[in-house]
Amino acid sequence: MKTSKCNLSIACVVTLAVIILALPGRLAGQTAAAKSPGGNGTSATRWSVQVDQVDSGNLDLAYSFQIAIYENLVDELNKTKQFQQVFRDGDVRAGEFPNLLVLKTTVEKYTPGSETRRAVTTVSGATKLTVRSQLLTREGKVVVERTVNGDVRFFGSNLRATHNLAHNIAKTIKQSSWSGSGQPTAIFTGQSESGKKT
């Protein structure tokens, strides 16, 4: 009887040890499968993006607006989680990433607007920006090209239009037919709706 209980205890300890040793490997395999997009063990290519300085074209756009558009673009693209890395123009680390896209933004139209007029009346004084936004490969192949608008119609500073514009550009890229992984082959052109944010 005592031998039987002793054998049972040893068997339980051995079984428990086997389970404990096998469990971490099994969990690691499940985690790796969960991280892979298709669940087939292969990982999709993740792209990084470098945001070029904003080109004001032939418009007399204040430097503060160009910087505000640029900074808001970097911020909004990071928020999308669409890219592995978001690099600033001139960042030497960008050259280390083989899957790098470049975002070029050119201002096409600018209506200055007035914060005071917007505060007094809601029908005038809107600040409006229209840009051509291009996402290109290193070789210059256009992946996404859109004309995007941003404005501030009601309350808020004139620079609020730059935030709305950057938000609309990031949203356009995220919703385009280009998925953000794999080979960028689709060209998505057209015009987005004007930003409705205030």
Side-chain angles (χ1 to χ4, degrees):
M1 187 85 174
K2 287 182 180 178
T3 307
S4 167
K5 283 184 181 180
C6 186
N7 287 342
L8 184 60
S9 295
I10 291 172
C12 286
V13 170
V14 170
T15 304
L16 187 60
V18 169
I19 290 171
I20 289 172
L21 292 174
L23 193 58
R26 182 172 210 147
L27 286 176
Q30 289 173 348
T31 304
K35 283 184 181 175
S36 110
N40 58 7
T42 61
S43 62
T45 303
R46 294 245 8 237
W47 289 83
S48 295
V49 66
Q50 176 180 304
V51 182
D52 276 3
Q53 292 291 331
V54 175
D55 181 359
S56 63
N58 58 358
L59 299 175
D60 186 23
L61 183 67
Y63 188 66
S64 60
F65 267 79
Q66 293 176 53
I67 294 299
I69 292 169
Y70 181 80
E71 292 299 329
N72 282 311
L73 269 173
V74 170
D75 186 46
E76 290 294 322
L77 287 170
N78 272 314
K79 286 180 188 176
T80 66
K81 308 285 189 211
Q82 185 89 7
F83 299 101
Q84 182 178 353
Q85 292 279 337
V86 177
F87 294 104
R88 294 173 176 275
D89 195 5
D91 191 331
V92 293
R93 295 176 302 148
E96 300 169 10
F97 285 75
N99 299 320
L100 182 72
L101 298 171
V102 178
L103 179 65
K104 294 187 178 292
T105 307
T106 306
V107 181
E108 294 185 333
K109 292 181 191 172
Y110 168 61
T111 306
S114 165
E115 293 176 40
T116 306
R117 286 172 64 191
R118 282 196 304 275
V120 174
T121 172
T122 59
V123 294
S124 66
T127 299
K128 300 176 185 177
L129 283 163
T130 301
V131 301
R132 182 170 41 91
S133 185
Q134 292 180 309
L135 194 62
L136 305 106
T137 63
R138 280 184 204 261
E139 297 77 29
K141 180 179 178 182
V142 177
V143 178
V144 177
E145 181 173 9
R146 290 293 297 260
T147 299
V148 184
N149 300 311
D151 56 39
V152 56
R153 294 182 181 275
F154 302 114
F155 300 106
S157 74
N158 287 337
L159 286 177
R160 178 72 182 169
T162 65
H163 173 267
N164 295 342
L165 175 69
H167 175 79
N168 291 342
I169 292 171
K171 183 178 172 184
T172 297
I173 291 171
K174 190 170 184 177
Q175 293 178 346
S176 70
S177 57
W178 175 68
S179 65
S181 61
Q183 198 62 22
T185 54
I187 297 176
F188 190 62
T189 60
Q191 180 159 350
S192 76
E193 304 184 5
S194 175
K196 302 297 184 205
K197 290 186 173 186
T198 58

